[in-house]
Amino acid sequence: MKPTGIDHVVLRVRDRAVAEAFYMDVIGCVLERRQDKIGMTQLRAGSSLIDLVEVDGELGRKGGAAPGEEGRNLDHFCLAIENFDLERVKAELRAKGVDLGEEGERHGASGLSVSLYLRDPDGNGLELRG
């Protein structure tokens, strides 16, 4: 076996519309498709997908309680950002009202690079890197 990358990440969210707005309007993902019957939206992030599943929807109920400060679904996931310029990305996020976390050089799939951390509206950790 030889993994070639992340196909998709599934996030359980309290309000799918709020999560969609964050990932599309702030982060720049593109709507792939909605499956309202099961409470899921799929967003395109380059060659990967981010699935947003409502915690009270058909799929979401299978995962138990909603994510919170003391009960998260995951620590964080990382999106590689094309032409990443830390100061430009920070300015863009601040202009959209996003609270920024720590930043620094981290090792990831593409080697050593600068990363910026933040949280989405449901408290899921998100790392953006070049």
Side-chain angles (χ1 to χ4, degrees):
M1 235 185 319
K2 185 177 180 183
T4 59
I6 295 175
D7 183 82
H8 69 279
V9 173
V10 179
L11 297 177
R12 297 174 63 245
V13 301
R14 288 180 207 75
D15 186 327
R16 198 163 36 128
V18 170
E20 285 179 15
F22 176 81
Y23 282 100
M24 291 192 302
D25 300 341
V26 176
I27 301 301
C29 295
V30 177
L31 178 65
E32 181 89 0
R33 69 182 182 150
R34 283 192 182 93
Q35 297 183 64
D36 293 328
K37 183 178 179 195
I38 60 172
M40 182 172 75
T41 299
Q42 293 182 298
L43 303 176
R44 176 70 52 188
S47 62
S48 302
L49 291 176
I50 298 173
D51 295 354
L52 305 173
V53 175
E54 290 176 323
V55 295
D56 59 354
E58 182 180 326
L59 288 180
R61 285 190 301 270
K62 294 177 182 180
E69 189 61 34
E70 296 301 319
R72 299 186 202 131
N73 289 325
L74 59 90
D75 181 70
H76 76 277
F77 67 100
C78 178
L79 294 176
I81 305 298
E82 188 174 81
N83 300 319
F84 185 81
D85 176 278
L86 179 63
E87 295 307 316
R88 181 185 54 75
V89 169
K90 285 170 32 178
E92 184 177 332
L93 292 170
R94 281 189 188 116
K96 294 178 178 179
V98 177
D99 292 327
L100 304 180
E102 66 179 71
E103 60 188 69
E105 203 169 60
R106 304 287 190 274
H107 189 273
S110 61
L112 203 57
S113 185
V114 174
S115 293
L116 175 64
Y117 293 84
L118 54 125
R119 294 211 173 269
D120 74 8
D122 282 281
N124 294 303
L126 178 58
E127 176 183 352
L128 305 177
R129 67 183 278 123

